[in-house]
Amino acid sequence: MATKEEIVNGFMKAIVDGDEEASAKWAKEAVAAGLDAYEMVTKHGGDAMTIVNQKYEKKEYFVPEVLCAANALNAGVDILSPHMKADKTSVPATVVLAVVEGDIHDIGKNLVKIMLSAAGFRVIDMGKDVPSAALVEKIKETKADVVGMSALMSTTMPRMKNVIDMLKDQGIRGKVKVIVGGGPVTKDWALSIGADDRPHDASAAVGATKGLVEKLRAERGETW
Ligand code: B1M
């Protein structure tokens, strides 16, 4: 059997090379070797995407190569996600998730979905490039407890504020907690636009969601 180092290096190389088959193969090896599935994706998969990004910035890679790398990472995520564990929540809640309008970077949001689902939350995933109005309608329709928005670009981040402003305008901001995340989204900026929290990764999104749902229930005077 391959060593941990060989598996991690093989997985990262497969992603950088945009090789879906090899990524799936190394992901299966990781599962067989009992490696931590979440760490494989977020740490080693994330490091591989950083290398891809460096190549993109140096103009060694262009959008098609970046897309192949993303598909290779996703092939690994498909194998590893059933093995990701999160502490089960004792507080049932509905979370609506979306990548904001204009943004199609959905790997991070998909990880958030995997971890929140593993923790036992009901997750309604609206996908990527979601118009603000459609997101607000879904929050109302599902009586969501939490909305989670993801943005990977400085040009699309302002959509998060747009959604929060719409919630305020429609008088429902107090009924739903808001978490935001993604590369360019800092905690300070998140708080400045009126979000409740900015978990730095998918695992932190579980803890943040639990805390905010408990707060929401307390504000509503509910016990469970
Ligand atoms: Co593009 N891209 N991309 N891209 N891409 C970035 C984001 C960029 C930083 C690259 C660069 O220029 N250096 C740059 C944005 C610059 C900026 O505005 N600051 C960029 C650009 C410019 C573009 C295009 C405009 C390129 C072009 O066409 N010329 C174009 C835009 C398309 C669009 O959205 N309209 C584009 C396209 C693409 C691809 C389609 C090829 C592909 C996306 C495929 C896909 O997602 N299905 C892609 C990719 C893969 C990247 C990079 C290389 C990697 C992103 C990624 O998947 N990381 C990225 C560079 C980078 O980020 N370093 C880049 C791995 C993933 C696990 O991490 O998504 O950050 P991440 O998620 C993390 C945390 O952020 C957090 O948890 C996750 C870890 O657990 N998190 C949350 C994320 N959402 C959260 C939500 C939460 C909580 C935590 O609560 C709700």
mmCIF file of all heavy atoms in Angstrom, residues 1 26 37 80 95 102 113 120 125 133 140 142 152 154 157 162 184 191 211 216:
data_model
loop_
_atom_site.group_PDB
_atom_site.id
_atom_site.type_symbol
_atom_site.label_atom_id
_atom_site.label_comp_id
_atom_site.label_asym_id
_atom_site.label_seq_id
_atom_site.Cartn_x
_atom_site.Cartn_y
_atom_site.Cartn_z
ATOM 1 N N MET A 1 0.847 -1.218 0.000
ATOM 2 C CA MET A 1 0.000 0.000 0.000
ATOM 3 C C MET A 1 0.879 1.263 0.000
ATOM 4 O O MET A 1 1.952 1.279 0.613
ATOM 5 C CB MET A 1 -0.904 -0.013 1.238
ATOM 6 C CG MET A 1 -1.905 1.142 1.222
ATOM 7 S SD MET A 1 -2.979 1.222 2.647
ATOM 8 C CE MET A 1 -4.237 0.042 2.213
ATOM 9 N N TRP A 26 -6.380 8.245 -6.377
ATOM 10 C CA TRP A 26 -5.667 8.592 -5.140
ATOM 11 C C TRP A 26 -6.649 8.843 -3.990
ATOM 12 O O TRP A 26 -6.350 8.546 -2.830
ATOM 13 C CB TRP A 26 -4.753 9.805 -5.367
ATOM 14 C CG TRP A 26 -3.527 9.433 -6.158
ATOM 15 C CD1 TRP A 26 -3.223 9.826 -7.425
ATOM 16 C CD2 TRP A 26 -2.460 8.552 -5.755
ATOM 17 N NE1 TRP A 26 -2.047 9.260 -7.840
ATOM 18 C CE2 TRP A 26 -1.545 8.474 -6.832
ATOM 19 C CE3 TRP A 26 -2.184 7.828 -4.600
ATOM 20 C CZ2 TRP A 26 -0.381 7.707 -6.786
ATOM 21 C CZ3 TRP A 26 -1.017 7.063 -4.549
ATOM 22 C CH2 TRP A 26 -0.135 7.004 -5.619
ATOM 23 N N ALA A 37 -10.546 12.441 5.365
ATOM 24 C CA ALA A 37 -11.131 12.834 4.079
ATOM 25 C C ALA A 37 -11.245 14.360 3.949
ATOM 26 O O ALA A 37 -10.992 14.927 2.883
ATOM 27 C CB ALA A 37 -12.507 12.189 3.925
ATOM 28 N N LEU A 80 -14.359 11.222 -1.636
ATOM 29 C CA LEU A 80 -14.016 11.479 -0.223
ATOM 30 C C LEU A 80 -15.198 11.988 0.609
ATOM 31 O O LEU A 80 -15.239 11.762 1.822
ATOM 32 C CB LEU A 80 -12.859 12.490 -0.161
ATOM 33 C CG LEU A 80 -11.514 11.932 -0.652
ATOM 34 C CD1 LEU A 80 -10.559 13.061 -1.054
ATOM 35 C CD2 LEU A 80 -10.867 11.065 0.431
ATOM 36 N N VAL A 95 -30.934 25.459 6.213
ATOM 37 C CA VAL A 95 -29.923 26.386 5.703
ATOM 38 C C VAL A 95 -30.058 26.467 4.185
ATOM 39 O O VAL A 95 -30.069 25.439 3.506
ATOM 40 C CB VAL A 95 -28.492 25.898 6.038
ATOM 41 C CG1 VAL A 95 -27.463 26.922 5.589
ATOM 42 C CG2 VAL A 95 -28.338 25.594 7.525
ATOM 43 N N GLY A 102 -23.356 36.099 -10.597
ATOM 44 C CA GLY A 102 -22.161 36.480 -11.354
ATOM 45 C C GLY A 102 -20.952 35.623 -11.060
ATOM 46 O O GLY A 102 -19.911 35.752 -11.706
ATOM 47 N N LYS A 113 -21.716 22.640 1.895
ATOM 48 C CA LYS A 113 -22.938 21.817 1.839
ATOM 49 C C LYS A 113 -22.671 20.412 2.405
ATOM 50 O O LYS A 113 -23.464 19.895 3.201
ATOM 51 C CB LYS A 113 -23.398 21.701 0.383
ATOM 52 C CG LYS A 113 -24.603 20.818 0.194
ATOM 53 C CD LYS A 113 -24.896 20.627 -1.275
ATOM 54 C CE LYS A 113 -26.077 19.715 -1.494
ATOM 55 N NZ LYS A 113 -26.337 19.508 -2.930
ATOM 56 N N GLY A 120 -26.113 17.208 9.930
ATOM 57 C CA GLY A 120 -27.540 16.952 10.151
ATOM 58 C C GLY A 120 -28.460 18.118 9.848
ATOM 59 O O GLY A 120 -29.666 18.043 10.107
ATOM 60 N N ASP A 125 -29.639 23.725 -1.491
ATOM 61 C CA ASP A 125 -28.520 24.262 -2.279
ATOM 62 C C ASP A 125 -29.064 24.880 -3.564
ATOM 63 O O ASP A 125 -29.559 24.172 -4.435
ATOM 64 C CB ASP A 125 -27.546 23.116 -2.597
ATOM 65 C CG ASP A 125 -26.354 23.592 -3.407
ATOM 66 O OD1 ASP A 125 -26.201 24.810 -3.601
ATOM 67 O OD2 ASP A 125 -25.570 22.723 -3.839
ATOM 68 N N ALA A 133 -32.567 38.241 -5.856
ATOM 69 C CA ALA A 133 -34.018 38.176 -5.607
ATOM 70 C C ALA A 133 -34.472 36.727 -5.453
ATOM 71 O O ALA A 133 -35.325 36.426 -4.600
ATOM 72 C CB ALA A 133 -34.769 38.854 -6.751
ATOM 73 N N LYS A 140 -37.559 33.046 2.071
ATOM 74 C CA LYS A 140 -38.935 33.251 2.562
ATOM 75 C C LYS A 140 -39.753 31.964 2.424
ATOM 76 O O LYS A 140 -40.440 31.542 3.351
ATOM 77 C CB LYS A 140 -39.593 34.388 1.775
ATOM 78 C CG LYS A 140 -39.002 35.758 2.111
ATOM 79 C CD LYS A 140 -39.882 36.898 1.673
ATOM 80 C CE LYS A 140 -39.901 37.107 0.202
ATOM 81 N NZ LYS A 140 -40.478 38.355 -0.253
ATOM 82 N N THR A 142 -38.851 28.856 2.278
ATOM 83 C CA THR A 142 -38.446 27.719 3.117
ATOM 84 C C THR A 142 -38.390 28.086 4.601
ATOM 85 O O THR A 142 -38.076 27.240 5.426
ATOM 86 C CB THR A 142 -37.045 27.217 2.696
ATOM 87 O OG1 THR A 142 -36.124 28.310 2.841
ATOM 88 C CG2 THR A 142 -37.031 26.723 1.264
ATOM 89 N N LEU A 152 -16.144 34.223 -4.609
ATOM 90 C CA LEU A 152 -14.681 34.066 -4.771
ATOM 91 C C LEU A 152 -14.050 35.260 -5.470
ATOM 92 O O LEU A 152 -12.841 35.295 -5.663
ATOM 93 C CB LEU A 152 -14.391 32.782 -5.568
ATOM 94 C CG LEU A 152 -14.085 31.483 -4.826
ATOM 95 C CD1 LEU A 152 -12.674 31.479 -4.271
ATOM 96 C CD2 LEU A 152 -15.057 31.241 -3.697
ATOM 97 N N SER A 154 -13.715 39.611 -6.030
ATOM 98 C CA SER A 154 -13.973 40.934 -5.444
ATOM 99 C C SER A 154 -15.132 41.622 -6.169
ATOM 100 O O SER A 154 -15.834 42.440 -5.580
ATOM 101 C CB SER A 154 -12.710 41.795 -5.493
ATOM 102 O OG SER A 154 -12.090 41.665 -6.746
ATOM 103 N N MET A 157 -18.481 39.928 -4.566
ATOM 104 C CA MET A 157 -18.734 40.073 -3.121
ATOM 105 C C MET A 157 -19.872 41.050 -2.782
ATOM 106 O O MET A 157 -20.659 40.778 -1.873
ATOM 107 C CB MET A 157 -17.487 40.617 -2.423
ATOM 108 C CG MET A 157 -16.389 39.644 -2.182
ATOM 109 S SD MET A 157 -14.884 40.548 -1.825
ATOM 110 C CE MET A 157 -15.268 41.406 -0.319
ATOM 111 N N ASN A 162 -26.041 43.189 -1.105
ATOM 112 C CA ASN A 162 -27.289 43.348 -1.834
ATOM 113 C C ASN A 162 -28.404 42.473 -1.223
ATOM 114 O O ASN A 162 -29.525 42.926 -0.980
ATOM 115 C CB ASN A 162 -26.971 42.884 -3.247
ATOM 116 C CG ASN A 162 -27.920 43.388 -4.289
ATOM 117 O OD1 ASN A 162 -28.094 42.710 -5.276
ATOM 118 N ND2 ASN A 162 -28.530 44.531 -4.105
ATOM 119 N N PRO A 184 -11.964 36.118 -0.932
ATOM 120 C CA PRO A 184 -11.747 37.549 -0.673
ATOM 121 C C PRO A 184 -12.580 38.111 0.489
ATOM 122 O O PRO A 184 -12.431 39.288 0.839
ATOM 123 C CB PRO A 184 -12.183 38.213 -1.987
ATOM 124 C CG PRO A 184 -13.185 37.283 -2.567
ATOM 125 C CD PRO A 184 -12.836 35.888 -2.088
ATOM 126 N N LEU A 191 -18.778 41.660 8.620
ATOM 127 C CA LEU A 191 -19.531 42.330 9.681
ATOM 128 C C LEU A 191 -19.979 43.722 9.223
ATOM 129 O O LEU A 191 -21.068 44.176 9.563
ATOM 130 C CB LEU A 191 -18.703 42.406 10.966
ATOM 131 C CG LEU A 191 -18.315 41.033 11.568
ATOM 132 C CD1 LEU A 191 -17.474 41.199 12.823
ATOM 133 C CD2 LEU A 191 -19.542 40.158 11.868
ATOM 134 N N GLY A 211 -23.998 27.751 16.320
ATOM 135 C CA GLY A 211 -24.062 28.870 17.263
ATOM 136 C C GLY A 211 -25.151 29.854 16.897
ATOM 137 O O GLY A 211 -25.913 30.314 17.763
ATOM 138 N N LEU A 216 -30.624 32.264 17.370
ATOM 139 C CA LEU A 216 -31.907 32.576 16.737
ATOM 140 C C LEU A 216 -33.068 31.999 17.540
ATOM 141 O O LEU A 216 -34.074 32.669 17.786
ATOM 142 C CB LEU A 216 -31.910 32.007 15.312
ATOM 143 C CG LEU A 216 -33.062 32.399 14.398
ATOM 144 C CD1 LEU A 216 -32.986 33.878 14.028
ATOM 145 C CD2 LEU A 216 -33.030 31.556 13.114
#
